[in-house]
């Protein structure tokens, strides 16, 4: 199935992880239409393999399998579910390196980052294997002596999990870990750019003995994705949807879920401000900026999207940041030392190029980069720094999702906060300050669901991930991640 030398070695060492079939009801299946779609390595443009191009009929089979499996999975004990998740986690740990190589191959990120993603992704299964046993109810003091008020948490049923390409491992485990721990079964739709990581995870789930139908993966091309999403949202057999992706698609799924008043968790786009106040330690801010901006080539929902730097530290911050950026090594993520890989596909590449062209045409200054890096491949774009940003530029309002740093200068805390909050999005925000009063003031006023204070990397299985405003609904990870997959049942026992 897969052709490049790197993948041939991977195949020889770990054949069982590389799947060219989808996974439904414990079986590896082609599409009922027998159609396939090609998956390419974004670093080289080579086709690395094909996956089944499934449609609504395959999705219906997966939903029915998950609905049947739910009948028994919901009645397993929390301890049993914990053990299944732990076994799955242990197998992920054993297969860490090969999973990382598959991520690099199809998502293009540097191997060192893919290793980090696999560690991060695995940690959700470990975390939820522990959390499964702590989905507690309550006994609430009753106002009536003859009645008892009990509260239990129950799994909602079949969950449709629609996952993005930017974290093909972690965004599946963050959802599926919570769903399985809660007692839900899943139909997973991975992104068309990155189906192989999802399928490798299913192979390990099968080895872990997770019963058939509990986890299903439906793969498809971009063309078939809308009909699959639509069926997941509208099928009466699906109780809830968890989606990570663009705000535009999130709004569509939200509308589609409304017909069945379906539960929906949405992790959508951000427009994260990264504020450096005069009181900041500039060296720390530069380090945080690099980590936050260049993770996965800027293709991360929580990537800093607008850098706001106060007047006194502006020159020092910009000079140091530009130097760091000029030292980044670009290239194929399979090569040692590479820190910045390609953009995922032509749509993303064109968007990033157009945003830079738009900003430059409206007066932005390019301090470094500013053009494609075609010497590495068709989808590479130079890490870029733009200054003199104005509100009429697309980079001001749109999520860049690429290696572009836009820098604004501001004078006062009020002005910095006004610019930071002047967006419909509210996922993550970051700021650097050594002034304690300012830290608490700004953390309170930033309109975001997640706030990094003197820290550029905030994601971890233990913390609630999610946004406000148009960045989404619900939280993933942490004990709050269980809420999207459970409902509360109140039981009143009377005549006591
Ligand atoms: C995302 O980009 O959607 C997730 C990033 C993260 O979990 O840190």
């Amino acid at each position: 199935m897969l052709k490049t030398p790197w993948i041939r070695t991977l195949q020889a060492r770990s054949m069982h992880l590389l799947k060219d079939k989808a996974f439904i009801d414990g079986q590896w299946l082609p599409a009922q239409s027998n159609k396939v779609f090609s998956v390419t390595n974004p670093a080289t443009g080579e086709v690395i393999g094909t996956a089944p191009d499934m449609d609504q009929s395959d999705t219906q089979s997966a939903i029915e399998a998950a609905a049947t499996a739910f009948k028994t999975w919901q009645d397993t004990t929390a301890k049993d579910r914990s053990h299944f998740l732990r076994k799955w986690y242990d197998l992920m740990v054993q297969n860490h390196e090969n999973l990382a190589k598959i991520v690099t191959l199809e998502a293009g990120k540097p191997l060192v980052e893919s290793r980090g993603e696999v560690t991060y992704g695995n940690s959700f299964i470990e975390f939820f294997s522990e959390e499964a046993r702590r989905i507690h109810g309550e006994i609430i003091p009753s106002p009536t002596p003859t009645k008892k008020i009990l509260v239990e948490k129950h799994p909602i049923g079949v969950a449709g999990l629609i996952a993005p390409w930017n974290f093909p491992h972690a965004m599946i485990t963050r959802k599926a870990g919570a769903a399985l721990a809660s007692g839900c079964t899943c139909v997973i739709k991975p992104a068309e750019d990155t189906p192989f990581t999802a399928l490798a995870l299913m192979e390990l789930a099968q080895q872990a003995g997770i019963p058939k139908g509990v986890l299903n993966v439906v793969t498809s091309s971009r063309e078939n994705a809308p009909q699959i999403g639509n069926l997941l949202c509208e099928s009466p057999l699906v109780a809830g949807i968890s989606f990570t992706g663009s705000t535009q698609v999130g709004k569509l799924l939200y509308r589609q879920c409304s017909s069945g008043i379906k539960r929906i968790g949405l992790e959508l786009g951000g427009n994260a401000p990264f504020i450096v106040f005069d009181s900041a330690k500039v060296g720390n801010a530069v380090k945080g900026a690099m980590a936050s901006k260049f993770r996965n080539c800027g293709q991360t929902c929580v990537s800093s999207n607008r850098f706001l730097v106060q007047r006194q530290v502006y020159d020092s911050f910009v000079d140091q940041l530009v130097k760091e950026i000029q030292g980044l090594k670009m290239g194929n993520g399979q090569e040692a030392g590479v820190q910045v890989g390609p953009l995922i596909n032509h749509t993303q590449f064109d968007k990033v190029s157009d945003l830079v062209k738009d900003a430059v045409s409206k007066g932005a200054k390019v301090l470094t980069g500013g053009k494609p890096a075609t010497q590495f491949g068709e989808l590479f774009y130079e890490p870029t720094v733009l200054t003199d940003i104005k509100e009429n530029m697309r980079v001001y309002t749109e999520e860049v999702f690429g290696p572009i740093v836009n820098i604004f200068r501001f004078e006062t805390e009020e002005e910095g906060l006004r610019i930071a909050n002047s967006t419909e999005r509210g996922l993550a925000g970051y700021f650097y300050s050594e002034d304690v009063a300012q830290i608490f003031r700004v953390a309170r006023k930033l309109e975001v669901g997640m706030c990094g204070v003197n820290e550029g990397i905030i994601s971890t299985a233990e913390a609630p991930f999610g946004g406000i405003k148009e960045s989404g609904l619900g939280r993933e990870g942490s004990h709050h991640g269980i809420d999207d997959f459970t409902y509360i049942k109140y039981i009143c026992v009377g005549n006591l």
Side-chain angles (χ1 to χ4, degrees):
M1 132 219 196
L2 300 157
K3 295 164 191 152
T4 69
W6 211 60
I7 199 68
R8 272 202 295 270
T9 320
L10 186 56
Q11 240 174 349
R13 294 213 188 117
S14 194
M15 185 66 190
H16 62 285
L17 282 187
L18 293 168
K19 298 292 182 190
D20 59 3
K21 300 283 185 294
F23 187 65
I24 297 176
D25 205 16
Q27 297 181 68
W28 295 98
L29 296 175
Q32 289 173 26
S33 66
N34 270 319
K35 288 189 183 149
V36 295
F37 66 101
S38 298
V39 181
T40 53
N41 178 343
T44 60
E46 284 172 301
V47 172
I48 54 179
T50 61
D53 191 4
M54 294 188 144
D55 57 25
Q56 285 201 340
S57 54
D58 305 283
T59 311
Q60 182 62 27
S61 307
I63 292 172
E64 286 169 14
T68 303
F70 179 65
K71 291 186 186 138
T72 44
W73 183 252
Q74 66 173 326
D75 291 331
T76 51
T77 63
K79 187 170 171 182
D80 285 342
R81 293 196 297 277
S82 168
H83 286 175
F84 279 120
L85 284 166
R86 183 74 205 191
K87 275 196 216 156
W88 194 19
Y89 166 73
D90 288 341
L91 286 161
M92 288 181 194
V93 172
Q94 278 168 34
N95 288 275
H96 187 283
E97 187 64 9
N98 286 330
L99 286 170
K101 285 185 172 171
I102 295 172
V103 171
T104 287
L105 198 69
E106 61 181 3
K109 58 178 80 173
L111 189 54
V112 65
E113 276 200 44
S114 298
R115 289 184 182 128
E117 177 182 346
V118 173
T119 302
Y120 175 51
N122 292 353
S123 75
F124 288 106
I125 301 302
E126 181 189 38
F127 179 85
F128 284 113
S129 76
E130 294 155 0
E131 204 55 27
R133 297 168 81 166
R134 299 192 187 103
I135 304 176
H136 298 147
E138 288 172 273
I139 298 176
I140 295 178
S142 167
T144 314
T146 56
K147 290 182 181 174
K148 200 140 190 98
I149 297 175
L150 312 178
V151 174
E152 292 181 344
K153 285 194 181 167
H154 289 267
I156 57 171
V158 175
L161 312 181
I162 306 178
W165 47 262
N166 63 341
F167 287 85
H169 178 301
M171 295 304 98
I172 288 179
T173 55
R174 186 156 80 188
K175 296 176 190 302
L180 262 54
S182 305
C184 295
T185 56
C186 306
V187 177
I188 302 168
K189 166 67 181 75
E192 53 280 358
D193 298 293
T194 55
F196 294 129
T197 308
L199 295 173
L201 291 174
M202 292 306 105
E203 166 61 30
L204 298 177
Q206 196 172 33
Q207 286 180 28
I210 293 177
K212 69 180 180 128
V214 169
L215 285 168
N216 305 275
V217 166
V218 175
T219 55
S220 88
S221 62
R222 195 177 310 274
E223 289 66 42
N224 283 354
Q227 54 166 298
I228 292 174
N230 180 265
L231 181 60
L232 288 172
C233 289
E234 296 195 348
S235 165
L237 292 178
V238 176
I241 295 291
S242 175
F243 169 73
T244 298
S246 70
T247 299
Q248 186 197 0
V249 175
K251 286 182 181 179
L252 177 72
L253 298 175
Y254 197 14
R255 273 199 295 276
Q256 290 174 358
C257 280
S258 69
S259 64
I261 317 291
K262 206 155 279 181
R263 202 65 94 71
I264 187 160
L266 297 170
E267 299 296 350
L268 308 178
N271 185 3
F274 185 105
I275 313 175
V276 187
F277 288 106
D278 282 344
S279 70
K281 287 191 175 149
V282 174
N284 287 354
V286 171
K287 218 165 130 205
M290 293 299 291
S292 152
K293 181 71 231 183
F294 290 100
R295 185 167 166 236
N296 196 19
C297 193
Q299 301 173 110
T300 304
C301 301
V302 289
S303 272
S304 299
N305 209 51
R306 294 165 299 149
F307 288 78
L308 317 178
V309 188
Q310 205 162 3
R311 189 169 46 84
Q312 278 176 30
V313 289
Y314 183 89
D315 289 340
S316 155
F317 177 81
V318 173
D319 288 351
Q320 290 184 48
L321 189 69
V322 168
K323 268 196 204 102
E324 287 289 328
I325 289 174
Q326 287 172 340
L328 286 171
K329 181 169 174 191
M330 285 197 96
N332 184 333
Q334 297 168 8
E335 288 159 18
V338 164
Q339 294 160 295
V340 182
L343 293 158
I344 187 75
N345 54 34
H346 285 280
T347 310
Q348 202 49 38
F349 178 86
D350 292 344
K351 183 183 171 198
V352 168
S353 312
D354 289 350
L355 286 177
V356 174
K357 280 186 204 148
D358 171 76
V360 171
S361 74
K362 292 172 182 161
K365 227 197 250 162
V366 180
L367 296 193
T368 188
K371 57 184 191 314
T374 42
Q375 65 276 31
F376 297 108
E378 279 186 10
L379 299 179
F380 287 82
Y381 200 92
E382 288 180 353
T384 296
V385 176
L386 301 176
T387 57
D388 296 12
I389 302 297
K390 297 186 191 67
E391 296 192 12
N392 66 345
M393 297 175 183
R394 286 177 55 202
V395 285
Y396 184 87
T397 44
E398 293 184 31
E399 185 179 31
V400 175
F401 240 58
I404 313 301
V405 173
N406 312 309
I407 309 184
F408 306 72
R409 189 198 307 253
F410 69 90
E411 299 290 328
T412 63
E413 183 181 302
E414 292 66 38
E415 187 193 3
L417 272 168
R418 183 192 58 74
I419 300 172
N421 290 335
S422 64
T423 165
E424 295 306 320
R425 309 284 176 88
L427 190 60
Y430 309 84
F431 67 92
Y432 279 69
S433 166
E434 294 295 315
D435 173 342
V436 175
Q438 181 172 55
I439 287 177
F440 284 97
R441 220 169 32 236
V442 174
R444 188 163 61 82
K445 289 190 178 159
L446 261 190
E447 295 169 2
V448 294
M450 295 173 283
C451 185
V453 184
N454 295 326
E455 180 55 63
I457 296 287
I458 55 178
S459 304
T460 173
E462 285 74 8
F465 188 104
I468 60 168
K469 303 201 226 173
E470 292 192 6
S471 286
L473 291 174
R475 292 294 179 268
E476 293 189 343
S478 82
H479 65 276
H480 297 288
I482 294 291
D483 294 349
D484 277 350
F485 298 100
T486 51
Y487 68 89
I488 287 174
K489 181 179 279 179
Y490 153 48
I491 301 167
C492 179
V493 183
N495 278 306
L496 294 174

